[in-house]
Amino acid sequence: MQVFKFYAPGDVRLEDAPEPTPGPGEIKLRVRATSMCGTDVKISTAGHQRMEPNRVMGHEIAGEIAELGEGVTGWAVGDRVQVIAAIPCGECDWCRAGIETICPNQLSMGYQFDGGFAPYLIVPPQVMKVDGLNRIPDGVGFAEASVAEPFACAINAQELVNTHDGDTVVVIGSGPIGCLHVRLARARGAKQVFLVELHRERLDLAANVVQPDAAICSAEEDPIAKVRELTDGRGVDVVITAAAAGITQEQGLQMLAPRGRISLFGGLPKDKPTITLDSNLVHYKELSIWGANGSSPAQNKKALSLIADGSVPVTDLITHKLPLDQITAGLDVVKNGTGIKVTIEP
């Protein structure tokens, strides 16, 4: 079988590999869909601090069980499943406290275990240990189920920042995660959601699909002034920065109303991890700043449920479905922002 493997920053290869066989406690999965995100582009070009070399990439995974290893119970060949990406240990103080997203012992599919850019993969026992293999609900396709992983990350962020009924929300960044944030904010009761993006073509592509209450191109107008105009000078209740640029975090703070909350969802480049923070703005307006890191197994289940019941549609966000031998073209789509969500179907 062919797999897409990471060896080193700038050294990724589509190559032949033997089909895996499950050992005790493992499950062999026939991969049907693995979606891409900006992290895949980053790993391909610059690596990642947690990424192991000689590893099959791909962490947004859905498929069907092909074979059960010795001792595996509760599952059957043919079951349609989605696999968590981030695997908490389930044993540390944070996991026992229910804060699995900051588990210091976390492992990941596509990082420490071979991922989904391959026809088959092995689901390790560590996934089952934390209830991280999820049945795909009836009516949800494999491609849609693969989007549950990034969607779960958006759920984590919005649960932390507490988006709720009546909120006015700004999402900065119109990539697939920004689109998911727009739809999730609405599902959580936001009365207005504004989308901000630097690149006009990317903004128009996303806005035509998710239909925000306002689409603001920050290359053409001051996004802070526009948000204030749209809110009669009040500012917004919640800002979610779904872009890997410090300026979006600095601008987002300026957009908040008193007692506003900001989610620093998008991580910053490792060589530019700092921003200029107006501490007095936080002090006098009593602002709250929240981080967000990945998702929990339970949030993956919630994502599948919200997709299944139609609360947060994802089908129209998938603009490209490509076979594995076109994976480099998929990476280019993600890198250049010429589509919203790219799904590889090995």
Side-chain angles (χ1 to χ4, degrees):
M1 68 177 189
Q2 280 200 311
V3 303
F4 189 67
K5 188 174 285 190
F6 170 88
Y7 282 92
D11 184 4
V12 289
R13 310 174 198 173
L14 189 62
E15 63 183 29
D16 290 329
E19 191 173 307
T21 300
E26 297 179 338
I27 289 177
K28 179 179 177 180
L29 189 72
R30 174 65 175 100
V31 180
R32 294 300 184 186
T34 299
S35 287
M36 283 184 165
C37 72
T39 302
D40 293 310
V41 174
K42 175 183 174 182
I43 290 171
S44 298
T45 57
H48 189 283
Q49 61 184 1
R50 297 183 56 242
M51 185 72 185
E52 294 183 352
N54 195 25
R55 181 66 61 201
V56 178
M57 293 174 55
H59 57 276
E60 302 179 8
I61 304 163
E64 58 189 335
I65 293 176
E67 187 178 348
L68 301 175
E70 181 183 349
V72 175
T73 60
W75 299 96
V77 172
D79 284 348
R80 301 186 328 124
V81 296
Q82 178 259 351
V83 188
I84 62 171
I87 310 167
C89 72
E91 298 175 355
C92 68
D93 289 346
W94 305 110
C95 286
R96 289 199 298 268
I99 316 173
E100 297 156 303
T101 52
I102 54 175
C103 169
N105 308 312
Q106 183 185 97
L107 303 171
S108 295
M109 299 298 296
Y111 289 69
Q112 287 79 37
F113 301 104
D114 282 341
F117 293 149
Y120 293 93
L121 63 76
I122 296 298
V123 180
Q126 290 90 334
V127 169
M128 275 79 80
K129 174 184 175 182
V130 295
D131 195 22
L133 191 64
N134 302 310
R135 298 182 190 277
I136 300 174
D138 292 342
V140 176
F142 290 114
E144 290 75 21
S146 71
V147 180
E149 191 280 327
F151 180 23
C153 298
I155 290 172
N156 179 48
Q158 292 207 30
E159 288 181 345
L160 288 168
V161 83
N162 190 26
T163 311
H164 57 254
D165 286 350
D167 276 341
T168 302
V169 178
V170 165
V171 176
I172 306 178
S174 66
I177 202 72
C179 292
L180 287 166
H181 273 299
V182 169
R183 285 188 164 165
L184 178 60
R186 284 194 174 129
R188 292 177 63 88
K191 67 178 180 181
Q192 287 185 304
V193 185
F194 308 137
L195 183 61
V196 177
E197 167 63 50
L198 179 65
H199 301 95
R200 167 54 68 182
E201 291 184 0
R202 293 186 188 185
L203 178 63
D204 290 345
L205 176 65
N208 285 337
V209 176
V210 298
Q211 297 290 310
D213 294 283
I216 304 165
C217 181
S218 55
E220 299 173 3
E221 60 183 327
D222 181 347
I224 301 168
K226 184 62 177 180
V227 167
R228 289 176 177 165
E229 175 190 328
L230 290 167
T231 58
D232 297 323
R234 175 184 180 274
V236 297
D237 303 293
V238 176
V239 171
I240 299 164
T241 61
I247 186 64
T248 65
Q249 299 178 358
E250 295 172 355
Q251 291 175 337
L253 284 163
Q254 297 284 340
M255 296 174 185
L256 288 172
R259 287 287 179 98
R261 297 101 66 198
I262 185 170
S263 171
L264 306 185
F265 181 91
L268 301 185
K270 60 184 178 182
D271 58 341
K272 294 182 180 178
T274 61
I275 64 171
T276 299
L277 174 66
D278 184 342
S279 182
N280 279 336
L281 186 68
V282 177
H283 172 69
Y284 287 110
K285 295 178 76 172
E286 297 186 350
L287 305 180
S288 297
I289 302 173
W290 287 90
N293 175 45
S295 61
S296 69
Q299 287 164 338
N300 278 251
K301 286 180 171 55
K302 183 177 290 187
L304 284 169
S305 177
L306 291 172
I307 292 169
D309 69 15
S311 298
V312 179
V314 300
T315 303
D316 57 354
L317 300 182
I318 303 169
T319 54
H320 294 72
K321 292 182 178 180
L322 302 173
L324 185 60
D325 61 9
Q326 294 183 30
I327 192 166
T328 55
L331 289 169
D332 286 340
V333 171
V334 177
K335 180 180 179 181
N336 298 324
T338 51
I340 299 179
K341 196 66 176 169
V342 178
T343 298
I344 300 299
E345 298 181 329

